[in-house]
Amino acid sequence: MPQKITAGNWKMNGTQASLSEIQAIADAAADIHSLAILCPPAHLLHRAASLPGPLAIGGQNCHHAPSGAFTGDISAAQLADCGASYVILGHSERREAYGESDSLVRDKAQAALNSGLTPIICLGESQDQRAEGRAIAVVLAQLTGSLPDDVQVIIAYEPIWAIGTGLVPSVAEITEVHNALRAQLLTTFGAAGQNISILYGGSVKPSNAKEIFAIPNVNGALVGGASLKAEDFLPIMRSLAES
Ligand code: PEP
């Protein structure tokens, strides 16, 4: 069975003053029986990971090399050194703004695994690609190109047009993509592919979480804006635990 996971992506938001918000999420995670992961910006990782409670901590990116002359970057081993257990890779904001390719994402995922981190690999089509009827083909090509040769991964389907826009695909559209991803994971990994969690991401809110979590092969969510406040993130975590 895939693990149920609510993961929060804080992006480039938050300061030391936000640690009380992270503590509120960590406190609630103790009573909610599904895995909660928070991915704050790098400067908060160590303090967030040191807070009491079962909240797991993740980075938002890592370099594919273990160390070296890469000014401004952070390695997977350094994320682990801060107390992170997960890392988001291939987010569409990085694919777009930094030109990250599928093969680079795969190299980063392998680097994460080498340092004991579980990669959360993001995939998703643009609005034009969906309009052209290419959503499934695009997402499956990203999966094939970005996936390391290891079953210890989490997949996040995040249609680019749904991120931070308030737009959410229909239940039928999410179902179609998640079923296609599951089928591809089974082809790649055999029966073990059944245990990989496939998260949906893109404008998940307390108001739509229950409907999204009822979709087969949706094993949780990657949440951006609504993860910044415990009062928004906690109802999403609860909806998943109750699904
Ligand atoms: C994201 O950036 O990963 C995301 C899903 O953002 P939002 O929930 O704000 O759409």
Side-chain angles (χ1 to χ4, degrees), residues 146-173:
S146 307
L147 203 57
D149 188 18
D150 196 308
V151 77
Q152 187 61 37
V153 295
I154 297 167
I155 303 301
Y157 166 55
E158 298 205 306
I160 298 168
W161 50 275
I163 294 178
T165 59
L167 300 172
V168 179
S170 68
V171 168
E173 288 169 334

mmCIF file with all atom_site columns, all heavy atoms in Angstrom, residues 146-173:
data_model
loop_
_atom_site.group_PDB
_atom_site.id
_atom_site.type_symbol
_atom_site.label_atom_id
_atom_site.label_alt_id
_atom_site.label_comp_id
_atom_site.label_asym_id
_atom_site.label_entity_id
_atom_site.label_seq_id
_atom_site.pdbx_PDB_ins_code
_atom_site.Cartn_x
_atom_site.Cartn_y
_atom_site.Cartn_z
_atom_site.occupancy
_atom_site.B_iso_or_equiv
_atom_site.pdbx_formal_charge
_atom_site.auth_seq_id
_atom_site.auth_comp_id
_atom_site.auth_asym_id
_atom_site.auth_atom_id
_atom_site.pdbx_PDB_model_num
ATOM 1   N N   . SER A 1 146 ? 12.909  11.270 -15.532 1.00 0.00 ? 146 SER A N   1
ATOM 2   C CA  . SER A 1 146 ? 13.342  11.817 -14.234 1.00 0.00 ? 146 SER A CA  1
ATOM 3   C C   . SER A 1 146 ? 13.535  10.754 -13.161 1.00 0.00 ? 146 SER A C   1
ATOM 4   O O   . SER A 1 146 ? 14.096  11.041 -12.098 1.00 0.00 ? 146 SER A O   1
ATOM 5   C CB  . SER A 1 146 ? 12.295  12.818 -13.707 1.00 0.00 ? 146 SER A CB  1
ATOM 6   O OG  . SER A 1 146 ? 11.991  13.792 -14.659 1.00 0.00 ? 146 SER A OG  1
ATOM 7   N N   . LEU A 1 147 ? 13.030  9.562  -13.417 1.00 0.00 ? 147 LEU A N   1
ATOM 8   C CA  . LEU A 1 147 ? 12.997  8.525  -12.379 1.00 0.00 ? 147 LEU A CA  1
ATOM 9   C C   . LEU A 1 147 ? 14.354  7.824  -12.248 1.00 0.00 ? 147 LEU A C   1
ATOM 10  O O   . LEU A 1 147 ? 14.889  7.320  -13.224 1.00 0.00 ? 147 LEU A O   1
ATOM 11  C CB  . LEU A 1 147 ? 11.938  7.500  -12.800 1.00 0.00 ? 147 LEU A CB  1
ATOM 12  C CG  . LEU A 1 147 ? 11.288  6.612  -11.750 1.00 0.00 ? 147 LEU A CG  1
ATOM 13  C CD1 . LEU A 1 147 ? 10.629  7.421  -10.648 1.00 0.00 ? 147 LEU A CD1 1
ATOM 14  C CD2 . LEU A 1 147 ? 10.257  5.713  -12.443 1.00 0.00 ? 147 LEU A CD2 1
ATOM 15  N N   . PRO A 1 148 ? 14.919  7.775  -11.037 1.00 0.00 ? 148 PRO A N   1
ATOM 16  C CA  . PRO A 1 148 ? 16.139  6.981  -10.858 1.00 0.00 ? 148 PRO A CA  1
ATOM 17  C C   . PRO A 1 148 ? 15.761  5.507  -10.837 1.00 0.00 ? 148 PRO A C   1
ATOM 18  O O   . PRO A 1 148 ? 14.578  5.161  -10.779 1.00 0.00 ? 148 PRO A O   1
ATOM 19  C CB  . PRO A 1 148 ? 16.643  7.443  -9.491  1.00 0.00 ? 148 PRO A CB  1
ATOM 20  C CG  . PRO A 1 148 ? 15.411  7.852  -8.749  1.00 0.00 ? 148 PRO A CG  1
ATOM 21  C CD  . PRO A 1 148 ? 14.438  8.362  -9.773  1.00 0.00 ? 148 PRO A CD  1
ATOM 22  N N   . ASP A 1 149 ? 16.764  4.659  -10.838 1.00 0.00 ? 149 ASP A N   1
ATOM 23  C CA  . ASP A 1 149 ? 16.509  3.214  -10.846 1.00 0.00 ? 149 ASP A CA  1
ATOM 24  C C   . ASP A 1 149 ? 16.324  2.741  -9.408  1.00 0.00 ? 149 ASP A C   1
ATOM 25  O O   . ASP A 1 149 ? 17.107  1.936  -8.904  1.00 0.00 ? 149 ASP A O   1
ATOM 26  C CB  . ASP A 1 149 ? 17.700  2.512  -11.525 1.00 0.00 ? 149 ASP A CB  1
ATOM 27  C CG  . ASP A 1 149 ? 17.398  1.039  -11.736 1.00 0.00 ? 149 ASP A CG  1
ATOM 28  O OD1 . ASP A 1 149 ? 16.220  0.666  -11.689 1.00 0.00 ? 149 ASP A OD1 1
ATOM 29  O OD2 . ASP A 1 149 ? 18.374  0.275  -11.924 1.00 0.00 ? 149 ASP A OD2 1
ATOM 30  N N   . ASP A 1 150 ? 15.309  3.267  -8.753  1.00 0.00 ? 150 ASP A N   1
ATOM 31  C CA  . ASP A 1 150 ? 15.104  2.963  -7.332  1.00 0.00 ? 150 ASP A CA  1
ATOM 32  C C   . ASP A 1 150 ? 13.640  3.217  -6.988  1.00 0.00 ? 150 ASP A C   1
ATOM 33  O O   . ASP A 1 150 ? 13.085  4.257  -7.367  1.00 0.00 ? 150 ASP A O   1
ATOM 34  C CB  . ASP A 1 150 ? 16.022  3.855  -6.475  1.00 0.00 ? 150 ASP A CB  1
ATOM 35  C CG  . ASP A 1 150 ? 16.161  3.344  -5.054  1.00 0.00 ? 150 ASP A CG  1
ATOM 36  O OD1 . ASP A 1 150 ? 15.135  3.101  -4.401  1.00 0.00 ? 150 ASP A OD1 1
ATOM 37  O OD2 . ASP A 1 150 ? 17.316  3.190  -4.603  1.00 0.00 ? 150 ASP A OD2 1
ATOM 38  N N   . VAL A 1 151 ? 13.060  2.305  -6.263  1.00 0.00 ? 151 VAL A N   1
ATOM 39  C CA  . VAL A 1 151 ? 11.634  2.391  -5.930  1.00 0.00 ? 151 VAL A CA  1
ATOM 40  C C   . VAL A 1 151 ? 11.374  3.340  -4.753  1.00 0.00 ? 151 VAL A C   1
ATOM 41  O O   . VAL A 1 151 ? 10.233  3.710  -4.485  1.00 0.00 ? 151 VAL A O   1
ATOM 42  C CB  . VAL A 1 151 ? 11.106  0.953  -5.657  1.00 0.00 ? 151 VAL A CB  1
ATOM 43  C CG1 . VAL A 1 151 ? 11.536  0.464  -4.289  1.00 0.00 ? 151 VAL A CG1 1
ATOM 44  C CG2 . VAL A 1 151 ? 9.617   0.847  -5.855  1.00 0.00 ? 151 VAL A CG2 1
ATOM 45  N N   . GLN A 1 152 ? 12.439  3.789  -4.082  1.00 0.00 ? 152 GLN A N   1
ATOM 46  C CA  . GLN A 1 152 ? 12.311  4.640  -2.887  1.00 0.00 ? 152 GLN A CA  1
ATOM 47  C C   . GLN A 1 152 ? 12.095  6.106  -3.285  1.00 0.00 ? 152 GLN A C   1
ATOM 48  O O   . GLN A 1 152 ? 12.930  6.970  -3.007  1.00 0.00 ? 152 GLN A O   1
ATOM 49  C CB  . GLN A 1 152 ? 13.569  4.476  -2.016  1.00 0.00 ? 152 GLN A CB  1
ATOM 50  C CG  . GLN A 1 152 ? 13.519  5.167  -0.658  1.00 0.00 ? 152 GLN A CG  1
ATOM 51  C CD  . GLN A 1 152 ? 12.396  4.664  0.236   1.00 0.00 ? 152 GLN A CD  1
ATOM 52  O OE1 . GLN A 1 152 ? 12.091  3.484  0.245   1.00 0.00 ? 152 GLN A OE1 1
ATOM 53  N NE2 . GLN A 1 152 ? 11.776  5.564  0.970   1.00 0.00 ? 152 GLN A NE2 1
ATOM 54  N N   . VAL A 1 153 ? 10.996  6.363  -3.979  1.00 0.00 ? 153 VAL A N   1
ATOM 55  C CA  . VAL A 1 153 ? 10.714  7.718  -4.449  1.00 0.00 ? 153 VAL A CA  1
ATOM 56  C C   . VAL A 1 153 ? 9.244   8.048  -4.167  1.00 0.00 ? 153 VAL A C   1
ATOM 57  O O   . VAL A 1 153 ? 8.425   7.160  -3.936  1.00 0.00 ? 153 VAL A O   1
ATOM 58  C CB  . VAL A 1 153 ? 10.973  7.869  -5.969  1.00 0.00 ? 153 VAL A CB  1
ATOM 59  C CG1 . VAL A 1 153 ? 12.442  7.682  -6.298  1.00 0.00 ? 153 VAL A CG1 1
ATOM 60  C CG2 . VAL A 1 153 ? 10.107  6.906  -6.776  1.00 0.00 ? 153 VAL A CG2 1
ATOM 61  N N   . ILE A 1 154 ? 8.936   9.330  -4.212  1.00 0.00 ? 154 ILE A N   1
ATOM 62  C CA  . ILE A 1 154 ? 7.559   9.816  -4.161  1.00 0.00 ? 154 ILE A CA  1
ATOM 63  C C   . ILE A 1 154 ? 7.356   10.623 -5.439  1.00 0.00 ? 154 ILE A C   1
ATOM 64  O O   . ILE A 1 154 ? 8.257   11.363 -5.863  1.00 0.00 ? 154 ILE A O   1
ATOM 65  C CB  . ILE A 1 154 ? 7.340   10.713 -2.918  1.00 0.00 ? 154 ILE A CB  1
ATOM 66  C CG1 . ILE A 1 154 ? 7.551   9.909  -1.628  1.00 0.00 ? 154 ILE A CG1 1
ATOM 67  C CG2 . ILE A 1 154 ? 5.966   11.361 -2.938  1.00 0.00 ? 154 ILE A CG2 1
ATOM 68  C CD1 . ILE A 1 154 ? 7.663   10.769 -0.371  1.00 0.00 ? 154 ILE A CD1 1
ATOM 69  N N   . ILE A 1 155 ? 6.196   10.463 -6.065  1.00 0.00 ? 155 ILE A N   1
ATOM 70  C CA  . ILE A 1 155 ? 5.885   11.210 -7.288  1.00 0.00 ? 155 ILE A CA  1
ATOM 71  C C   . ILE A 1 155 ? 4.833   12.263 -6.957  1.00 0.00 ? 155 ILE A C   1
ATOM 72  O O   . ILE A 1 155 ? 3.887   11.991 -6.206  1.00 0.00 ? 155 ILE A O   1
ATOM 73  C CB  . ILE A 1 155 ? 5.340   10.258 -8.381  1.00 0.00 ? 155 ILE A CB  1
ATOM 74  C CG1 . ILE A 1 155 ? 6.341   9.122  -8.674  1.00 0.00 ? 155 ILE A CG1 1
ATOM 75  C CG2 . ILE A 1 155 ? 4.995   11.029 -9.650  1.00 0.00 ? 155 ILE A CG2 1
ATOM 76  C CD1 . ILE A 1 155 ? 7.708   9.577  -9.146  1.00 0.00 ? 155 ILE A CD1 1
ATOM 77  N N   . ALA A 1 156 ? 4.994   13.464 -7.502  1.00 0.00 ? 156 ALA A N   1
ATOM 78  C CA  . ALA A 1 156 ? 3.973   14.505 -7.326  1.00 0.00 ? 156 ALA A CA  1
ATOM 79  C C   . ALA A 1 156 ? 3.537   14.987 -8.707  1.00 0.00 ? 156 ALA A C   1
ATOM 80  O O   . ALA A 1 156 ? 4.369   15.516 -9.468  1.00 0.00 ? 156 ALA A O   1
ATOM 81  C CB  . ALA A 1 156 ? 4.524   15.661 -6.501  1.00 0.00 ? 156 ALA A CB  1
ATOM 82  N N   . TYR A 1 157 ? 2.264   14.782 -9.023  1.00 0.00 ? 157 TYR A N   1
ATOM 83  C CA  . TYR A 1 157 ? 1.711   15.312 -10.277 1.00 0.00 ? 157 TYR A CA  1
ATOM 84  C C   . TYR A 1 157 ? 1.198   16.721 -10.006 1.00 0.00 ? 157 TYR A C   1
ATOM 85  O O   . TYR A 1 157 ? 0.258   16.909 -9.218  1.00 0.00 ? 157 TYR A O   1
ATOM 86  C CB  . TYR A 1 157 ? 0.570   14.425 -10.788 1.00 0.00 ? 157 TYR A CB  1
ATOM 87  C CG  . TYR A 1 157 ? -0.240  15.098 -11.880 1.00 0.00 ? 157 TYR A CG  1
ATOM 88  C CD1 . TYR A 1 157 ? 0.387   15.585 -13.028 1.00 0.00 ? 157 TYR A CD1 1
ATOM 89  C CD2 . TYR A 1 157 ? -1.620  15.263 -11.764 1.00 0.00 ? 157 TYR A CD2 1
ATOM 90  C CE1 . TYR A 1 157 ? -0.337  16.233 -14.023 1.00 0.00 ? 157 TYR A CE1 1
ATOM 91  C CE2 . TYR A 1 157 ? -2.352  15.899 -12.752 1.00 0.00 ? 157 TYR A CE2 1
ATOM 92  C CZ  . TYR A 1 157 ? -1.708  16.380 -13.881 1.00 0.00 ? 157 TYR A CZ  1
ATOM 93  O OH  . TYR A 1 157 ? -2.432  17.023 -14.859 1.00 0.00 ? 157 TYR A OH  1
ATOM 94  N N   . GLU A 1 158 ? 1.832   17.704 -10.642 1.00 0.00 ? 158 GLU A N   1
ATOM 95  C CA  . GLU A 1 158 ? 1.468   19.099 -10.423 1.00 0.00 ? 158 GLU A CA  1
ATOM 96  C C   . GLU A 1 158 ? 1.302   19.801 -11.767 1.00 0.00 ? 158 GLU A C   1
ATOM 97  O O   . GLU A 1 158 ? 2.288   20.301 -12.339 1.00 0.00 ? 158 GLU A O   1
ATOM 98  C CB  . GLU A 1 158 ? 2.561   19.823 -9.639  1.00 0.00 ? 158 GLU A CB  1
ATOM 99  C CG  . GLU A 1 158 ? 2.818   19.273 -8.254  1.00 0.00 ? 158 GLU A CG  1
ATOM 100 C CD  . GLU A 1 158 ? 3.418   20.326 -7.346  1.00 0.00 ? 158 GLU A CD  1
ATOM 101 O OE1 . GLU A 1 158 ? 4.447   20.928 -7.709  1.00 0.00 ? 158 GLU A OE1 1
ATOM 102 O OE2 . GLU A 1 158 ? 2.843   20.569 -6.293  1.00 0.00 ? 158 GLU A OE2 1
ATOM 103 N N   . PRO A 1 159 ? 0.063   19.829 -12.298 1.00 0.00 ? 159 PRO A N   1
ATOM 104 C CA  . PRO A 1 159 ? -0.135  20.563 -13.555 1.00 0.00 ? 159 PRO A CA  1
ATOM 105 C C   . PRO A 1 159 ? 0.300   22.022 -13.368 1.00 0.00 ? 159 PRO A C   1
ATOM 106 O O   . PRO A 1 159 ? -0.118  22.661 -12.395 1.00 0.00 ? 159 PRO A O   1
ATOM 107 C CB  . PRO A 1 159 ? -1.640  20.453 -13.809 1.00 0.00 ? 159 PRO A CB  1
ATOM 108 C CG  . PRO A 1 159 ? -2.257  19.810 -12.620 1.00 0.00 ? 159 PRO A CG  1
ATOM 109 C CD  . PRO A 1 159 ? -1.169  19.279 -11.750 1.00 0.00 ? 159 PRO A CD  1
ATOM 110 N N   . ILE A 1 160 ? 1.134   22.521 -14.247 1.00 0.00 ? 160 ILE A N   1
ATOM 111 C CA  . ILE A 1 160 ? 1.731   23.854 -14.051 1.00 0.00 ? 160 ILE A CA  1
ATOM 112 C C   . ILE A 1 160 ? 0.644   24.921 -13.924 1.00 0.00 ? 160 ILE A C   1
ATOM 113 O O   . ILE A 1 160 ? 0.733   25.833 -13.114 1.00 0.00 ? 160 ILE A O   1
ATOM 114 C CB  . ILE A 1 160 ? 2.691   24.185 -15.222 1.00 0.00 ? 160 ILE A CB  1
ATOM 115 C CG1 . ILE A 1 160 ? 3.827   23.174 -15.256 1.00 0.00 ? 160 ILE A CG1 1
ATOM 116 C CG2 . ILE A 1 160 ? 3.245   25.595 -15.104 1.00 0.00 ? 160 ILE A CG2 1
ATOM 117 C CD1 . ILE A 1 160 ? 4.683   23.226 -16.525 1.00 0.00 ? 160 ILE A CD1 1
ATOM 118 N N   . TRP A 1 161 ? -0.417  24.752 -14.711 1.00 0.00 ? 161 TRP A N   1
ATOM 119 C CA  . TRP A 1 161 ? -1.489  25.750 -14.751 1.00 0.00 ? 161 TRP A CA  1
ATOM 120 C C   . TRP A 1 161 ? -2.339  25.747 -13.480 1.00 0.00 ? 161 TRP A C   1
ATOM 121 O O   . TRP A 1 161 ? -3.154  26.656 -13.287 1.00 0.00 ? 161 TRP A O   1
ATOM 122 C CB  . TRP A 1 161 ? -2.366  25.516 -15.984 1.00 0.00 ? 161 TRP A CB  1
ATOM 123 C CG  . TRP A 1 161 ? -2.833  24.092 -16.141 1.00 0.00 ? 161 TRP A CG  1
ATOM 124 C CD1 . TRP A 1 161 ? -2.150  23.064 -16.732 1.00 0.00 ? 161 TRP A CD1 1
ATOM 125 C CD2 . TRP A 1 161 ? -4.063  23.550 -15.670 1.00 0.00 ? 161 TRP A CD2 1
ATOM 126 N NE1 . TRP A 1 161 ? -2.886  21.908 -16.654 1.00 0.00 ? 161 TRP A NE1 1
ATOM 127 C CE2 . TRP A 1 161 ? -4.062  22.183 -16.026 1.00 0.00 ? 161 TRP A CE2 1
ATOM 128 C CE3 . TRP A 1 161 ? -5.174  24.067 -15.001 1.00 0.00 ? 161 TRP A CE3 1
ATOM 129 C CZ2 . TRP A 1 161 ? -5.125  21.323 -15.716 1.00 0.00 ? 161 TRP A CZ2 1
ATOM 130 C CZ3 . TRP A 1 161 ? -6.231  23.224 -14.697 1.00 0.00 ? 161 TRP A CZ3 1
ATOM 131 C CH2 . TRP A 1 161 ? -6.191  21.871 -15.061 1.00 0.00 ? 161 TRP A CH2 1
ATOM 132 N N   . ALA A 1 162 ? -2.151  24.756 -12.629 1.00 0.00 ? 162 ALA A N   1
ATOM 133 C CA  . ALA A 1 162 ? -2.928  24.686 -11.388 1.00 0.00 ? 162 ALA A CA  1
ATOM 134 C C   . ALA A 1 162 ? -2.139  25.215 -10.195 1.00 0.00 ? 162 ALA A C   1
ATOM 135 O O   . ALA A 1 162 ? -2.699  25.397 -9.112  1.00 0.00 ? 162 ALA A O   1
ATOM 136 C CB  . ALA A 1 162 ? -3.356  23.247 -11.117 1.00 0.00 ? 162 ALA A CB  1
ATOM 137 N N   . ILE A 1 163 ? -0.842  25.472 -10.379 1.00 0.00 ? 163 ILE A N   1
ATOM 138 C CA  . ILE A 1 163 ? -0.007  25.879 -9.240  1.00 0.00 ? 163 ILE A CA  1
ATOM 139 C C   . ILE A 1 163 ? -0.221  27.361 -8.928  1.00 0.00 ? 163 ILE A C   1
ATOM 140 O O   . ILE A 1 163 ? 0.049   28.223 -9.776  1.00 0.00 ? 163 ILE A O   1
ATOM 141 C CB  . ILE A 1 163 ? 1.481   25.585 -9.527  1.00 0.00 ? 163 ILE A CB  1
ATOM 142 C CG1 . ILE A 1 163 ? 1.691   24.074 -9.617  1.00 0.00 ? 163 ILE A CG1 1
ATOM 143 C CG2 . ILE A 1 163 ? 2.365   26.183 -8.437  1.00 0.00 ? 163 ILE A CG2 1
ATOM 144 C CD1 . ILE A 1 163 ? 3.099   23.662 -9.941  1.00 0.00 ? 163 ILE A CD1 1
ATOM 145 N N   . GLY A 1 164 ? -0.745  27.619 -7.745  1.00 0.00 ? 164 GLY A N   1
ATOM 146 C CA  . GLY A 1 164 ? -0.917  28.987 -7.270  1.00 0.00 ? 164 GLY A CA  1
ATOM 147 C C   . GLY A 1 164 ? -1.963  29.788 -8.015  1.00 0.00 ? 164 GLY A C   1
ATOM 148 O O   . GLY A 1 164 ? -2.014  31.016 -7.878  1.00 0.00 ? 164 GLY A O   1
ATOM 149 N N   . THR A 1 165 ? -2.806  29.129 -8.788  1.00 0.00 ? 165 THR A N   1
ATOM 150 C CA  . THR A 1 165 ? -3.790  29.849 -9.606  1.00 0.00 ? 165 THR A CA  1
ATOM 151 C C   . THR A 1 165 ? -5.216  29.717 -9.097  1.00 0.00 ? 165 THR A C   1
ATOM 152 O O   . THR A 1 165 ? -6.096  30.443 -9.553  1.00 0.00 ? 165 THR A O   1
ATOM 153 C CB  . THR A 1 165 ? -3.778  29.294 -11.052 1.00 0.00 ? 165 THR A CB  1
ATOM 154 O OG1 . THR A 1 165 ? -4.089  27.884 -10.990 1.00 0.00 ? 165 THR A OG1 1
ATOM 155 C CG2 . THR A 1 165 ? -2.427  29.483 -11.715 1.00 0.00 ? 165 THR A CG2 1
ATOM 156 N N   . GLY A 1 166 ? -5.458  28.750 -8.218  1.00 0.00 ? 166 GLY A N   1
ATOM 157 C CA  . GLY A 1 166 ? -6.834  28.466 -7.811  1.00 0.00 ? 166 GLY A CA  1
ATOM 158 C C   . GLY A 1 166 ? -7.543  27.551 -8.792  1.00 0.00 ? 166 GLY A C   1
ATOM 159 O O   . GLY A 1 166 ? -8.670  27.125 -8.548  1.00 0.00 ? 166 GLY A O   1
ATOM 160 N N   . LEU A 1 167 ? -6.905  27.246 -9.912  1.00 0.00 ? 167 LEU A N   1
ATOM 161 C CA  . LEU A 1 167 ? -7.491  26.310 -10.880 1.00 0.00 ? 167 LEU A CA  1
ATOM 162 C C   . LEU A 1 167 ? -7.121  24.885 -10.480 1.00 0.00 ? 167 LEU A C   1
ATOM 163 O O   . LEU A 1 167 ? -5.987  24.627 -10.107 1.00 0.00 ? 167 LEU A O   1
ATOM 164 C CB  . LEU A 1 167 ? -6.945  26.578 -12.290 1.00 0.00 ? 167 LEU A CB  1
ATOM 165 C CG  . LEU A 1 167 ? -7.215  27.963 -12.874 1.00 0.00 ? 167 LEU A CG  1
ATOM 166 C CD1 . LEU A 1 167 ? -6.458  28.134 -14.187 1.00 0.00 ? 167 LEU A CD1 1
ATOM 167 C CD2 . LEU A 1 167 ? -8.713  28.150 -13.089 1.00 0.00 ? 167 LEU A CD2 1
ATOM 168 N N   . VAL A 1 168 ? -8.070  23.976 -10.587 1.00 0.00 ? 168 VAL A N   1
ATOM 169 C CA  . VAL A 1 168 ? -7.811  22.571 -10.247 1.00 0.00 ? 168 VAL A CA  1
ATOM 170 C C   . VAL A 1 168 ? -8.365  21.714 -11.376 1.00 0.00 ? 168 VAL A C   1
ATOM 171 O O   . VAL A 1 168 ? -9.470  21.978 -11.864 1.00 0.00 ? 168 VAL A O   1
ATOM 172 C CB  . VAL A 1 168 ? -8.491  22.193 -8.902  1.00 0.00 ? 168 VAL A CB  1
ATOM 173 C CG1 . VAL A 1 168 ? -8.245  20.733 -8.562  1.00 0.00 ? 168 VAL A CG1 1
ATOM 174 C CG2 . VAL A 1 168 ? -7.975  23.074 -7.773  1.00 0.00 ? 168 VAL A CG2 1
ATOM 175 N N   . PRO A 1 169 ? -7.639  20.704 -11.817 1.00 0.00 ? 169 PRO A N   1
ATOM 176 C CA  . PRO A 1 169 ? -8.184  19.823 -12.855 1.00 0.00 ? 169 PRO A CA  1
ATOM 177 C C   . PRO A 1 169 ? -9.450  19.126 -12.357 1.00 0.00 ? 169 PRO A C   1
ATOM 178 O O   . PRO A 1 169 ? -9.666  19.026 -11.147 1.00 0.00 ? 169 PRO A O   1
ATOM 179 C CB  . PRO A 1 169 ? -7.070  18.788 -13.085 1.00 0.00 ? 169 PRO A CB  1
ATOM 180 C CG  . PRO A 1 169 ? -5.875  19.278 -12.366 1.00 0.00 ? 169 PRO A CG  1
ATOM 181 C CD  . PRO A 1 169 ? -6.316  20.294 -11.357 1.00 0.00 ? 169 PRO A CD  1
ATOM 182 N N   . SER A 1 170 ? -10.256 18.648 -13.290 1.00 0.00 ? 170 SER A N   1
ATOM 183 C CA  . SER A 1 170 ? -11.456 17.911 -12.892 1.00 0.00 ? 170 SER A CA  1
ATOM 184 C C   . SER A 1 170 ? -11.046 16.572 -12.272 1.00 0.00 ? 170 SER A C   1
ATOM 185 O O   . SER A 1 170 ? -9.911  16.102 -12.449 1.00 0.00 ? 170 SER A O   1
ATOM 186 C CB  . SER A 1 170 ? -12.339 17.652 -14.110 1.00 0.00 ? 170 SER A CB  1
ATOM 187 O OG  . SER A 1 170 ? -11.681 16.749 -14.970 1.00 0.00 ? 170 SER A OG  1
ATOM 188 N N   . VAL A 1 171 ? -11.984 15.962 -11.562 1.00 0.00 ? 171 VAL A N   1
ATOM 189 C CA  . VAL A 1 171 ? -11.722 14.636 -10.990 1.00 0.00 ? 171 VAL A CA  1
ATOM 190 C C   . VAL A 1 171 ? -11.317 13.669 -12.109 1.00 0.00 ? 171 VAL A C   1
ATOM 191 O O   . VAL A 1 171 ? -10.385 12.867 -11.951 1.00 0.00 ? 171 VAL A O   1
ATOM 192 C CB  . VAL A 1 171 ? -12.983 14.131 -10.234 1.00 0.00 ? 171 VAL A CB  1
ATOM 193 C CG1 . VAL A 1 171 ? -12.854 12.654 -9.893  1.00 0.00 ? 171 VAL A CG1 1
ATOM 194 C CG2 . VAL A 1 171 ? -13.206 14.961 -8.975  1.00 0.00 ? 171 VAL A CG2 1
ATOM 195 N N   . ALA A 1 172 ? -11.978 13.757 -13.245 1.00 0.00 ? 172 ALA A N   1
ATOM 196 C CA  . ALA A 1 172 ? -11.659 12.852 -14.363 1.00 0.00 ? 172 ALA A CA  1
ATOM 197 C C   . ALA A 1 172 ? -10.229 13.074 -14.866 1.00 0.00 ? 172 ALA A C   1
ATOM 198 O O   . ALA A 1 172 ? -9.512  12.113 -15.187 1.00 0.00 ? 172 ALA A O   1
ATOM 199 C CB  . ALA A 1 172 ? -12.661 13.054 -15.497 1.00 0.00 ? 172 ALA A CB  1
ATOM 200 N N   . GLU A 1 173 ? -9.816  14.334 -14.924 1.00 0.00 ? 173 GLU A N   1
ATOM 201 C CA  . GLU A 1 173 ? -8.456  14.630 -15.409 1.00 0.00 ? 173 GLU A CA  1
ATOM 202 C C   . GLU A 1 173 ? -7.393  14.119 -14.426 1.00 0.00 ? 173 GLU A C   1
ATOM 203 O O   . GLU A 1 173 ? -6.385  13.536 -14.832 1.00 0.00 ? 173 GLU A O   1
ATOM 204 C CB  . GLU A 1 173 ? -8.304  16.140 -15.632 1.00 0.00 ? 173 GLU A CB  1
ATOM 205 C CG  . GLU A 1 173 ? -9.065  16.634 -16.850 1.00 0.00 ? 173 GLU A CG  1
ATOM 206 C CD  . GLU A 1 173 ? -9.154  18.157 -16.948 1.00 0.00 ? 173 GLU A CD  1
ATOM 207 O OE1 . GLU A 1 173 ? -9.090  18.853 -15.906 1.00 0.00 ? 173 GLU A OE1 1
ATOM 208 O OE2 . GLU A 1 173 ? -9.325  18.653 -18.075 1.00 0.00 ? 173 GLU A OE2 1
#
